[in-house]
Amino acid sequence: MDLKLVTEISKCLANQTRIEILEWLKNPAENFPPHTSIDHYDDGVCATYIYEKSGLSQSTISNYLTNMEKCGLLVLTRHGKWSYFKRNQEVINEYTEFLK
Amino acid sequence: MDLKLVTEISKCLANQTRIEILEWLKNPAENFPPHTSIDHYDDGVCATYIYEKSGLSQSTISNYLTNMEKCGLLVLTRHGKWSYFKRNQEVINEYTEFLK
DNA sequence: TTGACATATCGGTAATTGTAGATACGTTTG
DNA sequence: CAAACGTATCTACAATTACCGATATGTCAA
C-alpha cells in the first residue's frame, strides 16, 4: 500500500458517518434488519439499509459508499437491483499496518 | 477511544504531508539531521527540521504539528526555544485497533 | 411493457480545510 | 537590554468537501 492510497483511505475515514458505516458493517446482524430476498450477510448489507440508518440523504450515502468502494474500504456485490456492501478487511489491515 | 476522537484523528491523517510526517518520525535518524543542542531523538524531532523537509511554509507546518498534537497523534516536548515532536504510539495503536 | 423500486449521477450551495504571509510571542545569547 | 532565532497565531483567500434535491439508469414484477 502506497502513500497516495493511504491518504485516499484516510480521507474516506475523515467523516463520522463513514466511520460509523464501517463500524456497523462489523456486525450486520446486530445493526440492520434481515434482508428480504436473502437470509445472510455474506455480501454485506444493501445500500438502502445503510441509508435508512444514517439519517442522511440517499444521494449522499450512495456517494459515500461508492467512494469507500473505490478506495478499497468496501467490497460491492450486486444482486439484481440491490447493491450490497461489506468491509474489505484485507485493505483495512494493510492500512493499519502502514500506520503502525 | 470514541467515535469523535477517531474522526478527529482521521482528519489529521487525511493529508499526504501529515502522513509523511508520521512516517518520517518512525525513524528520525534516517530522515533528519542531528540536533545541534542534544545528541538523541528521544523527544522526537524539532519543528524546524520537519518544516524544512516538508517544502511547505513554516506557519502551515506549525499548524499541522499543533493539530496532530491536539488530537493525540504526536507528543510535544519543549526544550528552550525548540519544540520537539514524536509519534504517540499508544494513540496510534488505539486508533488502528478501533478500525480493525 | 409499464410501474415501482434501488441505486447512481448531476448540479448547486454551504461549510470546512489548505496554505501562505505577516506578525506576535517566548527564549537564548551577546 | 537588544538582537536573533524558533515557534505560534492571525487574517485572508483558494481549494476541497459536505450534502441535498432532482433526475437518470438499471432491474424486477405485474
Side-chain angles (χ1 to χ4, degrees):
Chain A
M1 177 157 309
D2 69 354
L3 195 60
K4 275 242 160 64
L5 182 53
V6 169
T7 307
E8 282 315 299
I9 291 176
S10 295
K11 284 182 184 178
C12 264
L13 296 174
N15 173 288
Q16 186 159 329
T17 302
R18 291 193 294 261
I19 298 257
E20 284 179 304
I21 290 171
L22 277 178
E23 291 300 304
W24 295 337
L25 290 177
K26 279 182 180 172
N27 198 337
E30 207 170 79
N31 293 301
F32 299 97
H35 289 119
T36 53
S37 60
I38 50 175
D39 64 349
H40 59 77
Y41 296 102
D42 294 354
D43 293 322
V45 176
C46 77
T48 297
Y49 285 174
I50 297 172
Y51 148 56
E52 285 170 350
K53 192 175 175 83
S54 74
L56 297 179
S57 75
Q58 186 269 325
S59 66
T60 297
I61 293 301
S62 177
N63 250 315
Y64 283 7
L65 296 174
T66 299
N67 287 333
M68 292 168 84
E69 192 264 336
K70 273 181 186 150
C71 79
L73 278 172
L74 298 180
V75 175
L76 162 63
T77 309
R78 271 186 241 274
H79 290 292
K81 62 182 171 182
W82 288 281
S83 295
Y84 292 79
F85 291 92
K86 68 178 171 191
R87 287 165 59 96
N88 192 343
Q89 197 60 50
E90 261 189 55
V91 168
I92 294 170
N93 291 346
E94 282 179 49
Y95 175 76
T96 57
E97 279 304 315
F98 185 100
L99 293 180
K100 248 174 219 171
Chain B
M1 177 158 306
D2 70 353
L3 194 60
K4 274 243 162 65
L5 182 54
V6 170
T7 307
E8 282 315 299
I9 290 176
S10 295
K11 285 181 183 177
C12 265
L13 296 174
N15 176 287
Q16 187 160 326
T17 302
R18 291 192 296 260
I19 299 256
E20 285 179 304
I21 291 172
L22 277 177
E23 291 300 304
W24 296 337
L25 290 177
K26 279 181 181 174
N27 198 337
E30 206 170 79
N31 292 301
F32 299 97
H35 288 120
T36 52
S37 61
I38 50 176
D39 64 349
H40 58 77
Y41 296 103
D42 295 354
D43 293 322
V45 176
C46 77
T48 297
Y49 285 175
I50 298 172
Y51 147 58
E52 285 171 349
K53 192 176 175 83
S54 73
L56 297 178
S57 73
Q58 185 269 325
S59 66
T60 296
I61 293 301
S62 177
N63 251 316
Y64 284 7
L65 295 174
T66 300
N67 287 333
M68 291 168 84
E69 192 264 336
K70 274 183 185 149
C71 78
L73 278 171
L74 298 180
V75 175
L76 162 63
T77 309
R78 270 186 242 272
H79 289 292
K81 60 182 171 184
W82 289 281
S83 296
Y84 292 80
F85 292 92
K86 67 178 170 189
R87 288 164 59 96
N88 191 341
Q89 197 59 50
E90 262 189 54
V91 168
I92 293 170
N93 292 345
E94 283 178 49
Y95 174 77
T96 58
E97 280 302 316
F98 185 100
L99 293 180
K100 253 173 212 171

